[in-house]
Amino acid sequence: EVDPVTGKQGKTIIDSLNAPTQTTWTISNGLIDPTKGYVVTQTSNTFGTTEFSAPSSNYALDFDGSDDYVSVPDAVGLRIPTDITLEAWVKRKSFGIDIILEKGGDWTTGTNYGLGLHNINNNMFYFFWSGGWKGTSGPSDNNWHHYAVVAHEGDTEPQFYIDGVLQPVEFSSGVSTIDLDETEVQPLHIGAQVHSGLNYFGNSEIDEVRIWNTARSATEIANNYYQTLVGDETGLVAYFDLNDGY
């Protein structure tokens, strides 16, 4: 499939992480051949760039909706206590429960943060935290779209953006106040929610995943969602540009 940022085609594995003291990733269930030894090399103890030893291209990661996901080990920098911005390009292949990312598991059992797409509430795009979630109507097609959410601990309303445009909060459940439980030490998962029997595997393609510990402005999101990043931008704690083809 076509990468929405670069316009190139194919499937991918991950190639970079801008988070402290990460040394390995687990690519689960066939996204890569584990016998080939795709291991991240740590180049810095604090917010260093890491890369897979794979040929360079510009692609997007394809999840099969059955058992595919990426697991990134816990790190202090991935635990977000106050301000958070999450971004990703996603192309849905069907309309189910398509988790984009989560850290800490299901919202009903306590989690730090999570981002997903659903088949209810007009193909809802939603953000979840410990004890609650809120969402907005999502696109009804299978094209590439950019999804972003900005949230602040203790607020009641996250800001949702689809393709750089602010969307209204329309749906909710659970506690109304955003609770980013930074005590969660579970891995970060991309492409699925993996947690104690509450597993949801996304049937989608994902690209340009970004996690910030700042509240990005509407202007920053609109001006940068079609751009690749350098990787050392202020507030950027994890950047998965997914540009190494395999």
Side-chain angles (χ1 to χ4, degrees), residues 126-149:
Y126 65 108
F127 171 68
F128 56 95
W129 59 88
S130 182
W133 60 261
K134 292 196 176 182
T136 188
S137 297
S140 59
D141 56 60
N142 298 112
N143 299 324
W144 281 103
H145 293 281
H146 181 266
Y147 298 91
V149 67

Side-chain angles (χ1 to χ4, degrees), residues 11-230:
K11 297 181 180 180
T12 65
I13 58 173
I14 304 295
D15 87 333
S16 66
L17 172 64
N18 190 25
T21 65
Q22 296 298 302
T23 56
T24 60
W25 298 12
T26 301
I27 307 296
S28 187
N29 294 310
L31 285 178
I32 63 172
D33 182 350
T35 65
K36 289 185 169 62
Y38 286 93
V39 178
V40 173
T41 300
Q42 182 181 344
T43 58
S44 172
N45 287 328
T46 56
F47 296 92
T49 298
T50 54
E51 295 184 350
F52 275 103
S53 55
S56 179
S57 300
N58 292 295
Y59 300 137
L61 216 139
D62 193 349
F63 298 88
D64 66 6
S66 175
D67 55 7
D68 289 351
Y69 65 98
V70 176
S71 181
V72 181
D74 173 58
V76 173
L78 293 174
R79 304 174 200 164
I80 311 295
T82 307
D83 291 314
I84 189 169
T85 302
L86 304 173
E87 301 182 70
W89 279 91
V90 182
K91 183 181 186 295
R92 304 182 80 177
K93 295 183 289 183
S94 62
F95 293 94
I97 302 176
D98 295 319
I99 300 297
I100 301 170
L101 63 85
E102 58 84 6
K103 187 177 190 312
D106 194 75
W107 67 273
T108 60
T109 61
T111 189
N112 194 179
Y113 50 84
L115 199 63
L117 301 166
H118 214 295
N119 57 354
I120 64 170
N121 298 335
N122 304 322
N123 302 316
M124 179 175 66
F125 166 42
Y126 65 108
F127 171 68
F128 56 95
W129 59 88
S130 182
W133 60 261
K134 292 196 176 182
T136 188
S137 297
S140 59
D141 56 60
N142 298 112
N143 299 324
W144 281 103
H145 293 281
H146 181 266
Y147 298 91
V149 67
V150 180
H152 179 80
E153 173 79 7
D155 283 357
T156 58
E157 298 287 289
Q159 290 86 54
F160 293 99
Y161 298 86
I162 299 177
D163 298 329
V165 178
L166 182 65
Q167 307 294 318
V169 176
E170 301 175 275
F171 314 107
S172 65
S173 184
V175 297
S176 60
T177 301
I178 296 168
D179 179 10
L180 304 173
D181 184 2
E182 76 277 15
T183 65
E184 282 291 342
V185 295
Q186 300 299 315
L188 169 71
H189 297 117
I190 299 174
Q193 174 178 294
V194 184
H195 183 79
S196 300
L198 297 171
N199 296 333
Y200 299 102
F201 299 95
N203 187 25
S204 59
E205 297 171 40
I206 301 177
D207 194 17
E208 286 287 318
V209 176
R210 305 166 182 183
I211 301 175
W212 308 77
N213 62 9
T214 59
R216 301 279 282 173
S217 69
T219 299
E220 288 174 320
I221 290 171
N223 288 347
N224 290 281
Y225 79 96
Y226 253 113
Q227 309 298 321
T228 56
L229 301 179
V230 174

